């Protein structure tokens, strides 16, 4: 993934998941999972992701889904 700030992050299923953020040029609406055992990043496809940036700081994971 591109470098970013103002993102949300959560540990989920043994991975670090990074959601949205800001790369100083635009708000990012992508979701990436880092697997530390494989040392790889994988983009997670989502149907729709609202603007996640400086105003959104809450990430909840429940029932296998991000909220």
């Amino acid at each position: 993934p591109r470098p970013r700030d103002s993102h949300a992050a959560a540990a989920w299923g043994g991975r670090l998941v990074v959601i949205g953020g800001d790369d100083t040029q635009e708000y990012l609406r992508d979701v990436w999972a880092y697997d530390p055992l494989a040392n790889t990043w994988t983009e997670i496809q989502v149907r729709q992701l609202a603007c996640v940036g400086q105003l959104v700081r809450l990430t909840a994971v429940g029932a296998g889904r991000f909220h």
Side-chain angles (χ1 to χ4, degrees), residues 5-33:
D5 62 26
S6 302
H7 55 278
W12 184 51
R15 296 182 212 149
L16 172 67
V17 179
V18 176
I19 305 164
D22 180 351
D23 71 355
T24 71
Q25 296 182 22
E26 64 181 320
Y27 289 113
L28 303 171
R29 293 176 174 90
D30 53 356
V31 180
W32 289 85

Side-chain angles (χ1 to χ4, degrees), residues 30-44:
D30 53 356
V31 180
W32 289 85
Y34 175 69
D35 181 339
L37 296 178
N39 193 29
T40 58
W41 286 95
T42 303
E43 187 170 11
I44 298 173

Side-chain angles (χ1 to χ4, degrees), residues 19-20 28-31 44-52 65-67:
I19 305 164
L28 303 171
R29 293 176 174 90
D30 53 356
V31 180
I44 298 173
Q45 299 300 316
V46 293
R47 287 188 207 154
Q48 182 177 7
L49 185 64
C51 183
V52 177
R65 303 172 87 178
F66 287 101
H67 304 282

